[in-house]
Amino acid sequence: MTYDFHIHSCLSPCADDDMTPANIAGFAKLNGIDAIAVADHNSALNLPAVQKACDAYGVRLLPAIEANTAEEIHMLAYLPTVEAALKMGKVLYQSLPDFPYDRAIWGRQLVMDEDDNILEEPGRLLTSATTLDLYEMKALCEALGGVAVPAHIDKESTSLLSVLGFAPEDLPFK
């Protein structure tokens, strides 16, 4: 089985606008990838469209979110269903800072349908840190039946080791 479990769609401002739900699923199929996880920053709003596109192309989807904790640590939340991911995304969105989002500075954040039509652009910057700390974020993920994984652990910023300098013993990750 071939897979990629850390993909951002056009909903994440760090991703290209061409990373649409249909393009992600279609290119996964063309490249022989059997399963993908689309993990946008602090949101799951593109997962319903990604699920439909994956179903159409015969690619398995593992619903995911790349959450940004209050400490500025990125954590991947792998969830059992799109519905669970949407519930987590709603909590995360409500915990983002409420300041004006400027797409000219940060890039676009596109919510799309399965035909790659733009449905909306969220008003808060999705890459911001939430008010949830690492412990709360992990607990939220697990309460929804998910598995939490520190993202890009060896990265020089936004990783567990770069921010804290160690892995807390009282916070075991599978």
mmCIF file with all atom_site columns, all heavy atoms in Angstrom, residues 7 10 19 27-28 70 80 125 171-172:
data_model
loop_
_atom_site.group_PDB
_atom_site.id
_atom_site.type_symbol
_atom_site.label_atom_id
_atom_site.label_alt_id
_atom_site.label_comp_id
_atom_site.label_asym_id
_atom_site.label_entity_id
_atom_site.label_seq_id
_atom_site.pdbx_PDB_ins_code
_atom_site.Cartn_x
_atom_site.Cartn_y
_atom_site.Cartn_z
_atom_site.occupancy
_atom_site.B_iso_or_equiv
_atom_site.pdbx_formal_charge
_atom_site.auth_seq_id
_atom_site.auth_comp_id
_atom_site.auth_asym_id
_atom_site.auth_atom_id
_atom_site.pdbx_PDB_model_num
ATOM 1  N N   . ILE A 1 7   ? -1.179  15.907 3.672   1.00 0.00 ? 7   ILE A N   1
ATOM 2  C CA  . ILE A 1 7   ? -1.428  16.719 2.476   1.00 0.00 ? 7   ILE A CA  1
ATOM 3  C C   . ILE A 1 7   ? -2.281  17.922 2.889   1.00 0.00 ? 7   ILE A C   1
ATOM 4  O O   . ILE A 1 7   ? -3.219  17.787 3.672   1.00 0.00 ? 7   ILE A O   1
ATOM 5  C CB  . ILE A 1 7   ? -2.182  15.915 1.399   1.00 0.00 ? 7   ILE A CB  1
ATOM 6  C CG1 . ILE A 1 7   ? -1.352  14.708 0.942   1.00 0.00 ? 7   ILE A CG1 1
ATOM 7  C CG2 . ILE A 1 7   ? -2.542  16.802 0.207   1.00 0.00 ? 7   ILE A CG2 1
ATOM 8  C CD1 . ILE A 1 7   ? -2.121  13.754 0.035   1.00 0.00 ? 7   ILE A CD1 1
ATOM 9  N N   . CYS A 1 10  ? -6.198  23.435 -0.802  1.00 0.00 ? 10  CYS A N   1
ATOM 10 C CA  . CYS A 1 10  ? -6.254  24.879 -1.023  1.00 0.00 ? 10  CYS A CA  1
ATOM 11 C C   . CYS A 1 10  ? -6.939  25.625 0.122   1.00 0.00 ? 10  CYS A C   1
ATOM 12 O O   . CYS A 1 10  ? -6.969  26.857 0.131   1.00 0.00 ? 10  CYS A O   1
ATOM 13 C CB  . CYS A 1 10  ? -6.944  25.183 -2.346  1.00 0.00 ? 10  CYS A CB  1
ATOM 14 S SG  . CYS A 1 10  ? -8.582  24.434 -2.481  1.00 0.00 ? 10  CYS A SG  1
ATOM 15 N N   . MET A 1 19  ? -4.395  22.882 -5.331  1.00 0.00 ? 19  MET A N   1
ATOM 16 C CA  . MET A 1 19  ? -4.552  21.698 -4.473  1.00 0.00 ? 19  MET A CA  1
ATOM 17 C C   . MET A 1 19  ? -6.027  21.555 -4.088  1.00 0.00 ? 19  MET A C   1
ATOM 18 O O   . MET A 1 19  ? -6.411  21.597 -2.926  1.00 0.00 ? 19  MET A O   1
ATOM 19 C CB  . MET A 1 19  ? -3.659  21.809 -3.233  1.00 0.00 ? 19  MET A CB  1
ATOM 20 C CG  . MET A 1 19  ? -2.176  21.749 -3.545  1.00 0.00 ? 19  MET A CG  1
ATOM 21 S SD  . MET A 1 19  ? -1.677  20.164 -4.257  1.00 0.00 ? 19  MET A SD  1
ATOM 22 C CE  . MET A 1 19  ? -1.796  19.104 -2.828  1.00 0.00 ? 19  MET A CE  1
ATOM 23 N N   . PHE A 1 27  ? -4.739  13.122 -8.686  1.00 0.00 ? 27  PHE A N   1
ATOM 24 C CA  . PHE A 1 27  ? -3.297  12.922 -8.784  1.00 0.00 ? 27  PHE A CA  1
ATOM 25 C C   . PHE A 1 27  ? -2.820  11.786 -7.893  1.00 0.00 ? 27  PHE A C   1
ATOM 26 O O   . PHE A 1 27  ? -1.858  11.092 -8.232  1.00 0.00 ? 27  PHE A O   1
ATOM 27 C CB  . PHE A 1 27  ? -2.530  14.212 -8.497  1.00 0.00 ? 27  PHE A CB  1
ATOM 28 C CG  . PHE A 1 27  ? -2.458  15.109 -9.701  1.00 0.00 ? 27  PHE A CG  1
ATOM 29 C CD1 . PHE A 1 27  ? -3.274  16.225 -9.795  1.00 0.00 ? 27  PHE A CD1 1
ATOM 30 C CD2 . PHE A 1 27  ? -1.591  14.823 -10.750 1.00 0.00 ? 27  PHE A CD2 1
ATOM 31 C CE1 . PHE A 1 27  ? -3.233  17.039 -10.923 1.00 0.00 ? 27  PHE A CE1 1
ATOM 32 C CE2 . PHE A 1 27  ? -1.546  15.637 -11.871 1.00 0.00 ? 27  PHE A CE2 1
ATOM 33 C CZ  . PHE A 1 27  ? -2.365  16.741 -11.963 1.00 0.00 ? 27  PHE A CZ  1
ATOM 34 N N   . ALA A 1 28  ? -3.490  11.554 -6.774  1.00 0.00 ? 28  ALA A N   1
ATOM 35 C CA  . ALA A 1 28  ? -3.157  10.392 -5.945  1.00 0.00 ? 28  ALA A CA  1
ATOM 36 C C   . ALA A 1 28  ? -3.385  9.121  -6.759  1.00 0.00 ? 28  ALA A C   1
ATOM 37 O O   . ALA A 1 28  ? -2.516  8.229  -6.804  1.00 0.00 ? 28  ALA A O   1
ATOM 38 C CB  . ALA A 1 28  ? -3.999  10.381 -4.677  1.00 0.00 ? 28  ALA A CB  1
ATOM 39 N N   . ALA A 1 70  ? -1.738  26.143 21.361  1.00 0.00 ? 70  ALA A N   1
ATOM 40 C CA  . ALA A 1 70  ? -1.436  27.449 21.957  1.00 0.00 ? 70  ALA A CA  1
ATOM 41 C C   . ALA A 1 70  ? 0.071   27.676 22.069  1.00 0.00 ? 70  ALA A C   1
ATOM 42 O O   . ALA A 1 70  ? 0.532   28.810 22.014  1.00 0.00 ? 70  ALA A O   1
ATOM 43 C CB  . ALA A 1 70  ? -2.087  27.553 23.333  1.00 0.00 ? 70  ALA A CB  1
ATOM 44 N N   . PRO A 1 80  ? -11.622 9.211  12.809  1.00 0.00 ? 80  PRO A N   1
ATOM 45 C CA  . PRO A 1 80  ? -12.267 8.044  12.196  1.00 0.00 ? 80  PRO A CA  1
ATOM 46 C C   . PRO A 1 80  ? -13.236 8.367  11.067  1.00 0.00 ? 80  PRO A C   1
ATOM 47 O O   . PRO A 1 80  ? -13.470 7.527  10.200  1.00 0.00 ? 80  PRO A O   1
ATOM 48 C CB  . PRO A 1 80  ? -12.989 7.379  13.365  1.00 0.00 ? 80  PRO A CB  1
ATOM 49 C CG  . PRO A 1 80  ? -13.236 8.484  14.340  1.00 0.00 ? 80  PRO A CG  1
ATOM 50 C CD  . PRO A 1 80  ? -12.071 9.426  14.181  1.00 0.00 ? 80  PRO A CD  1
ATOM 51 N N   . LEU A 1 125 ? -7.640  33.514 10.068  1.00 0.00 ? 125 LEU A N   1
ATOM 52 C CA  . LEU A 1 125 ? -6.425  32.889 9.549   1.00 0.00 ? 125 LEU A CA  1
ATOM 53 C C   . LEU A 1 125 ? -6.283  31.493 10.143  1.00 0.00 ? 125 LEU A C   1
ATOM 54 O O   . LEU A 1 125 ? -6.106  31.327 11.351  1.00 0.00 ? 125 LEU A O   1
ATOM 55 C CB  . LEU A 1 125 ? -5.198  33.734 9.888   1.00 0.00 ? 125 LEU A CB  1
ATOM 56 C CG  . LEU A 1 125 ? -3.846  33.170 9.443   1.00 0.00 ? 125 LEU A CG  1
ATOM 57 C CD1 . LEU A 1 125 ? -3.786  33.009 7.930   1.00 0.00 ? 125 LEU A CD1 1
ATOM 58 C CD2 . LEU A 1 125 ? -2.724  34.063 9.940   1.00 0.00 ? 125 LEU A CD2 1
ATOM 59 N N   . LEU A 1 171 ? 2.657   12.929 28.541  1.00 0.00 ? 171 LEU A N   1
ATOM 60 C CA  . LEU A 1 171 ? 1.839   13.096 27.351  1.00 0.00 ? 171 LEU A CA  1
ATOM 61 C C   . LEU A 1 171 ? 2.266   12.066 26.293  1.00 0.00 ? 171 LEU A C   1
ATOM 62 O O   . LEU A 1 171 ? 2.907   12.389 25.301  1.00 0.00 ? 171 LEU A O   1
ATOM 63 C CB  . LEU A 1 171 ? 1.998   14.515 26.781  1.00 0.00 ? 171 LEU A CB  1
ATOM 64 C CG  . LEU A 1 171 ? 1.031   14.902 25.671  1.00 0.00 ? 171 LEU A CG  1
ATOM 65 C CD1 . LEU A 1 171 ? -0.389  15.011 26.201  1.00 0.00 ? 171 LEU A CD1 1
ATOM 66 C CD2 . LEU A 1 171 ? 1.460   16.213 25.056  1.00 0.00 ? 171 LEU A CD2 1
ATOM 67 N N   . PRO A 1 172 ? 1.908   10.801 26.543  1.00 0.00 ? 172 PRO A N   1
ATOM 68 C CA  . PRO A 1 172 ? 2.368   9.763  25.603  1.00 0.00 ? 172 PRO A CA  1
ATOM 69 C C   . PRO A 1 172 ? 1.615   9.822  24.270  1.00 0.00 ? 172 PRO A C   1
ATOM 70 O O   . PRO A 1 172 ? 0.418   10.021 24.226  1.00 0.00 ? 172 PRO A O   1
ATOM 71 C CB  . PRO A 1 172 ? 2.051   8.464  26.339  1.00 0.00 ? 172 PRO A CB  1
ATOM 72 C CG  . PRO A 1 172 ? 0.907   8.809  27.243  1.00 0.00 ? 172 PRO A CG  1
ATOM 73 C CD  . PRO A 1 172 ? 1.102   10.263 27.623  1.00 0.00 ? 172 PRO A CD  1
#
